[in-house]
Amino acid sequence: MNHLPLIIKREYLTKVRNKSFIIMTFLSPIIMIALFSLIGYLTSVNNETVRTIYVLDETGFLSESFKSTEQTIYTKVSEVDLETAKTLANQENAYGLLHIPNQPIETVSSVVKFYSEESPSLSIISSLESTLENKLSELKLQNNGVDLALIEASKTTIDINQESFEGVKTSKVGSVMKLIFGGAAGYLLFMFIIIYGNMIMRSVIEEKTSRIIEVIISSVKPIQLMLGKIIGTSLAGITQFAIWIVLGLVFFIASMSIFGVEMSQTQTPQQALVSEALSNTDSPDKIQMIFNEFSTLPLGNLVIAFILFFICGYLLYSSLYAAIGAAVDNETDTQQFMLPVIMPLILAVYVGMFTVIEDPHGTISTVFSFIPFTSPVVMLMRIPFGVPIWQQIISLLILIGTFIGIVWFAAKIYRVGILMYGKKPTYKELFKWLKY
Amino acid sequence: MNNLLETKEVSKYFGDFQALDAVSIQVPKHSIFGLLGPNGAGKTTLIRIINQITMPDTGLVLLDGEPLQPNDVKYIGYLPEERGLYKSMKVGEQALYLAQLKGLSYSEAKKRLNYWFDKLEIGHWWDKKIEELSKGMAQKIQFVVTVMHQPKLLIFDEPFSGFDPINANLIKDEILQLRDEGATVIFSTHRMESVEELCDHIALIHESKKILDGKLIDIKRTYKTNTFEVGLVSDDNMALKQSIEAKFKVTPADFKSIHDDLKLNIALDANGTPNDLLTFLTAQSQVLHFKELIPNASDIFIQTIQNN
């Protein structure tokens, strides 16, 4: 008797009807939006703070290089000694006092000092430093008889055009876009596994604690129950994600029409990266390039690989979660078994974040995109950069092979574990269960 | 074929531990079969094997003379000792789900549920969640989902735990009625008075082995010791006792009576008949009480296990 559809239906309906699930589905986006707005607001508040910095320039030739901006006002003081200047700065609640003692150009750089009440922010100090460095270099060049206009005129920026041996033009824009595609796919899988893997585990534990499990498995095979649970929960997860995407789009469109440009001020670092890449592309043919880039992305491959790696990777991990749930009696006992599951997952994300970005076809990236526990995430991140089909197929076959092995292993643990109550099992006992 | 269920030399190991050692039982059709044994003897393992929850390492289980098939779960209704229901699911929905898992169609399941809910007068619970019900109420639902697919074999593991005496009686009557309607019942329990009351066949499992089985009446016959409990009145009870002790093996008896009588258990040897004893006793005293001592299930249980 195939009860799989019946089990999937129950698991799905129980999940989506659950009050906390419904609340989370609609509350999470609101929380996310609130969080981003808060970050945006805090950033803007931070930027709006105006700092006054007193500059006591005893040399007389450095103070002009400090130009006041919206956030930083430089107040030049002169004709006073250091102590007076300090008192003055303190009285006026200034952010700090920059003191440049009267020394010749050659030696002044080593005696400049900044006085402040609290330790100053790193960005302020480095901005002061670079201003002074630039000015002093200019002055030294001038002293040596170099024409500054000449230097200005010889400054050059370069944007290297990239082309593969096959003649496909690429660019930095393309790389950024690939990163976003790969990163999003890998990260999505990671999040999906963590959220819904845990949900599966909890639902297995619930069946154990409510003692219904023996009633159920006198009618269905444990493996059917396990798979039904995994699939049902995943469908609930997909539903939740779909709602989030729709809500996200609605919110995005609504906010675009209401706030218009304001939204662009609260950028995430990734968006900043894109707009930075885009900012170099003023000419129309560069914009054309973005569309070209988009069309050269292996979209078909991307979509198919995404679906396959996502499903296999997710099932691999979620069956482990189900096995953990079966092995223990309550959620607090899961900790020791969670670590070996979470570790490869985190490793995969880090490998993806650091090595794939640096060198998508390097040894480390390639190796990790074949190891079954990391391959779903790492391979998904690599694919936008163009991975030969044979590599993808081999990686997928290894993954499917492992997946079957793990499901078998998890089903064994599950079959025995769901009937075991009491003591928390050790790894040794889990190993013994495989032989029951 | 008189046996609905048979196990043949069923053995099961868990690692190095042998849970069942070549256990063979025969459960006759329409009987109530008591599966007895101390805790940890292997009863639950055997029941799980019959339910195909665990597979035997060696041996065979026959249902109606045929080796057990995965599809046979629909012929079996199982009420495990560790039982429960989904707490946050509604009663009706849950019962429908469990019925469908047993192979009933949705409409058939609904029809039978309505019948049972009416019969036990629990129809108004349909839309309640299990967590809103008391333990005894949940047990009734559990009983209904166990029997509603009309299985020919019913397996109850400690069915009366959690019931108050009124509901326990109700369930007992339902079990008897199901038996009369043609079901065969396997009944695992520690409560010997319900064995006495319900079972017509028993099997006793101890330390993974079956050490006793058969018809309860036959077992009692083999365990009877030809001992009679008597209550006697005479002028001199002491002299009477001495004269009986000279002829028979005597132990003091304890039963309630309104007379100041001499209470004794008198064991006859294998050839002795009750009439011989009566003749002997009536010659010396008034016999107010005369009863053959038949071992009850509890005595047999304890005695057999101690002998092993």
Side-chain angles (χ1 to χ4, degrees):
Chain A
M1 262 178 288
N2 186 14
H3 294 308
L4 202 53
L6 200 61
I7 298 167
I8 293 173
K9 190 177 140 206
R10 194 205 83 88
E11 290 295 331
Y12 178 80
L13 288 179
T14 317
K15 292 284 171 317
V16 297
R17 277 195 210 147
N18 186 292
K19 276 200 194 80
S20 63
F21 185 88
I22 296 171
I23 292 171
M24 277 317 288
T25 306
F26 291 98
L27 209 59
S28 307
I30 295 172
I31 292 174
M32 287 290 273
I33 289 164
L35 209 62
F36 277 123
S37 317
L38 187 69
I39 291 169
Y41 171 72
L42 290 179
T43 317
S44 66
V45 166
N46 206 19
N47 289 341
E48 275 161 16
T49 321
V50 179
R51 292 177 173 136
T52 313
I53 292 175
Y54 279 66
V55 181
L56 175 60
D57 178 17
E58 291 170 0
T59 62
F61 50 77
L62 287 170
S63 60
E64 310 94 74
S65 44
F66 294 103
K67 304 271 187 305
S68 293
T69 63
E70 273 178 33
Q71 273 101 43
T72 322
I73 294 168
Y74 295 102
T75 311
K76 279 124 202 170
V77 286
S78 49
E79 311 291 324
V80 288
D81 63 5
L82 178 59
E83 286 311 312
T84 326
K86 272 201 228 172
T87 329
L88 186 66
N90 209 358
Q91 272 171 1
E92 297 296 317
N93 250 337
Y95 187 72
L97 168 71
L98 181 71
H99 178 228
I100 309 167
N102 194 3
Q103 294 258 350
I105 295 173
E106 285 74 27
T107 54
V108 73
S109 58
S110 59
V111 291
V112 178
K113 239 181 185 169
F114 189 80
Y115 298 93
S116 63
E117 191 167 1
E118 300 149 13
S119 47
S121 92
L122 203 60
S123 62
I124 295 266
I125 291 295
S126 46
S127 128
L128 290 175
E129 278 171 352
S130 69
T131 312
L132 282 170
E133 276 164 13
N134 286 341
K135 186 65 187 171
L136 281 171
S137 310
E138 273 180 21
L139 286 172
K140 282 180 187 169
L141 286 170
Q142 268 178 326
N143 281 0
N144 290 324
V146 181
D147 186 356
L148 283 182
L150 212 62
I151 293 178
E152 199 53 45
S154 54
K155 274 188 182 160
T156 317
T157 56
I158 186 154
D159 187 9
I160 297 179
N161 293 310
Q162 302 165 21
E163 193 174 317
S164 71
F165 288 125
E166 285 86 25
V168 182
K169 285 199 171 74
T170 55
S171 70
K172 275 194 298 194
V173 187
S175 298
V176 169
M177 208 141 77
K178 286 169 184 171
L179 268 183
I180 292 171
F181 267 84
Y187 202 69
L188 196 66
L189 174 58
F190 174 74
M191 290 303 292
F192 208 83
I193 289 173
I194 298 269
I195 298 176
Y196 300 105
N198 261 303
M199 203 180 268
I200 289 167
M201 191 177 76
R202 275 201 302 274
S203 121
V204 175
I205 294 175
E206 190 218 323
E207 265 172 11
K208 273 190 88 174
T209 48
S210 71
R211 300 285 200 258
I212 194 178
I213 191 74
E214 201 166 343
V215 177
I216 299 272
I217 58 165
S218 65
S219 319
V220 300
K221 289 219 169 317
I223 189 155
Q224 266 186 18
L225 183 61
M226 186 178 94
L227 288 179
K229 216 167 239 317
I230 290 172
I231 297 170
T233 310
S234 314
L235 290 178
I238 291 169
T239 311
Q240 196 170 41
F241 258 73
I243 293 174
W244 283 343
I245 289 169
V246 171
L247 283 181
L249 281 178
V250 167
F251 175 76
F252 184 72
I253 292 165
S255 61
M256 282 303 268
S257 53
I258 297 169
F259 300 109
V261 201
E262 277 176 51
M263 270 298 288
S264 61
Q265 281 172 355
T266 52
Q267 283 178 331
T268 62
Q270 288 88 335
Q271 284 173 320
L273 204 64
V274 185
S275 52
E276 194 197 335
L278 295 181
S279 64
N280 297 331
T281 59
D282 304 321
S283 52
D285 59 288
K286 288 248 172 137
I287 290 171
Q288 185 61 44
M289 180 92 121
I290 298 174
F291 287 103
N292 287 346
E293 271 313 325
F294 193 73
S295 58
T296 59
L297 275 178
L299 273 183
N301 183 354
L302 211 61
V303 170
I304 293 169
F306 178 76
I307 293 171
L308 290 177
F309 276 98
F310 195 94
I311 291 175
C312 292
Y314 172 71
L315 290 181
L316 178 77
Y317 275 100
S318 50
S319 44
L320 280 178
Y321 272 101
I324 294 174
V328 299
D329 276 359
N330 55 63
E331 233 178 309
T332 45
D333 286 347
T334 58
Q335 302 300 338
Q336 64 160 339
F337 300 113
M338 292 290 282
L339 197 65
V341 178
I342 297 281
M343 283 307 283
L345 207 54
I346 291 177
L347 185 69
V349 171
Y350 276 102
V351 167
M353 291 285 181
F354 294 114
T355 59
V356 174
I357 288 174
E358 191 60 36
D359 183 2
H361 303 305
T363 318
I364 294 178
S365 313
T366 313
V367 168
F368 276 100
S369 63
F370 282 104
I371 297 174
F373 286 93
T374 54
S375 66
V377 173
V378 178
M379 192 55 107
L380 282 181
M381 289 188 174
R382 275 185 71 202
I383 285 175
F385 294 95
V387 176
I389 293 293
W390 67 267
Q391 280 197 13
Q392 296 182 29
I393 290 173
I394 289 178
S395 170
L396 196 63
L397 288 180
I398 296 175
L399 182 62
I400 290 172
T402 318
F403 159 63
I404 292 168
I406 287 293
V407 169
W408 174 85
F409 162 84
K412 280 264 184 184
I413 301 269
Y414 188 85
R415 207 170 56 104
V416 181
I418 43 180
L419 293 173
M420 294 278 178
Y421 291 106
K423 193 171 149 290
K424 182 170 72 169
T426 60
Y427 281 107
K428 207 173 133 195
E429 280 165 319
L430 287 190
F431 183 70
K432 267 193 182 154
W433 290 1
L434 294 181
K435 293 182 284 184
Y436 282 9
Chain B
M1 182 56 62
N2 283 323
N3 294 329
L4 180 72
L5 182 96
E6 259 183 87
T7 70
K8 293 194 161 164
E9 305 276 307
V10 166
S11 294
K12 177 74 187 172
Y13 285 87
F14 291 117
D16 296 330
F17 173 72
Q18 187 167 23
L20 289 175
D21 184 3
V23 172
S24 303
I25 59 167
Q26 292 85 36
V27 182
K29 271 183 185 153
H30 313 313
S31 67
I32 296 185
F33 187 94
L35 191 58
L36 316 177
N39 291 325
K43 291 179 310 245
T44 303
T45 305
L46 183 63
I47 290 177
R48 283 180 181 168
I49 285 173
I50 295 168
N51 277 295
Q52 303 179 77
I53 291 169
T54 6
M55 295 300 137
D57 293 333
T58 57
L60 200 60
V61 181
L62 302 177
L63 183 72
D64 256 344
E66 298 289 323
L68 210 55
Q69 302 291 322
N71 263 347
D72 289 340
V73 292
K74 63 170 178 268
Y75 301 123
I76 302 177
Y78 175 37
L79 184 69
E81 187 177 5
E82 293 283 4
R83 52 183 173 254
L85 296 161
Y86 289 113
K87 287 196 174 51
S88 53
M89 223 175 154
K90 283 179 184 160
V91 171
E93 241 171 52
Q94 177 149 222
L96 279 174
Y97 171 65
L98 293 171
Q100 281 173 280
L101 285 186
K102 282 290 184 192
L104 292 185
S105 71
Y106 180 86
S107 51
E108 182 65 24
K110 185 137 196 182
K111 210 171 80 193
R112 298 213 192 151
L113 272 176
N114 284 334
Y115 163 78
W116 274 104
F117 275 44
D118 283 347
K119 186 170 185 189
L120 297 178
E121 294 168 353
I122 53 177
H124 55 287
W125 294 353
W126 189 272
D127 275 329
K128 284 200 169 155
K129 286 184 179 173
I130 293 292
E131 56 198 358
E132 298 168 41
L133 301 181
S134 74
K135 196 180 172 202
M137 291 155 108
Q139 293 276 30
K140 271 193 186 174
I141 311 277
Q142 195 105 47
F143 180 79
V144 171
V145 298
T146 308
V147 302
M148 73 184 151
H149 57 291
Q150 294 179 342
K152 49 187 175 186
L153 178 62
L154 282 161
I155 303 174
F156 296 109
D157 201 346
E158 294 292 354
F160 301 122
S161 66
F163 280 114
D164 59 54
I166 295 172
N167 279 321
N169 243 340
L170 190 96
I171 295 301
K172 194 188 82 192
D173 292 343
E174 289 300 336
I175 292 176
L176 288 172
Q177 197 185 333
L178 284 164
R179 193 265 317 262
D180 295 342
E181 285 166 7
T184 305
V185 180
I186 294 179
F187 186 45
S188 167
T189 186
H190 292 124
R191 289 175 38 168
M192 288 304 150
E193 69 273 19
S194 45
V195 173
E196 200 76 51
E197 207 172 350
L198 291 172
C199 298
D200 32 43
H201 287 72
I202 61 163
L204 182 58
I205 294 180
H206 179 53
E207 287 176 349
S208 323
K209 291 187 182 67
K210 183 194 74 183
I211 53 176
L212 179 73
D213 70 338
K215 260 188 153 164
L216 191 55
I217 294 174
D218 294 343
I219 290 171
K220 285 189 170 180
R221 278 192 194 125
T222 42
Y223 273 76
K224 79 175 172 110
T225 49
N226 217 9
T227 302
F228 296 84
E229 190 179 69
V230 296
L232 309 168
V233 176
S234 70
D235 300 334
D236 185 355
N237 278 353
M238 284 303 288
L240 175 66
K241 192 181 175 196
Q242 276 166 7
S243 97
I244 298 171
E245 272 172 346
K247 202 153 190 256
F248 302 101
K249 235 170 89 186
V250 170
T251 49
D254 186 23
F255 55 88
K256 294 217 157 50
S257 84
I258 51 168
H259 305 284
D260 181 22
D261 49 357
L262 177 66
K263 296 167 186 165
L264 294 173
N265 287 332
I266 303 173
L268 304 184
D269 53 28
N271 303 321
T273 66
N275 272 359
D276 294 342
L277 178 60
L278 267 177
T279 318
F280 176 78
L281 292 175
T282 45
Q284 312 174 46
S285 62
Q286 289 292 325
V287 179
L288 295 173
H289 177 101
F290 190 87
K291 181 185 155 202
E292 183 176 16
L293 278 186
I294 298 166
N296 61 25
S298 183
D299 298 332
I300 296 171
F301 182 92
I302 294 167
Q303 198 188 331
T304 322
I305 282 172
Q306 278 168 351
N307 289 346
N308 275 266

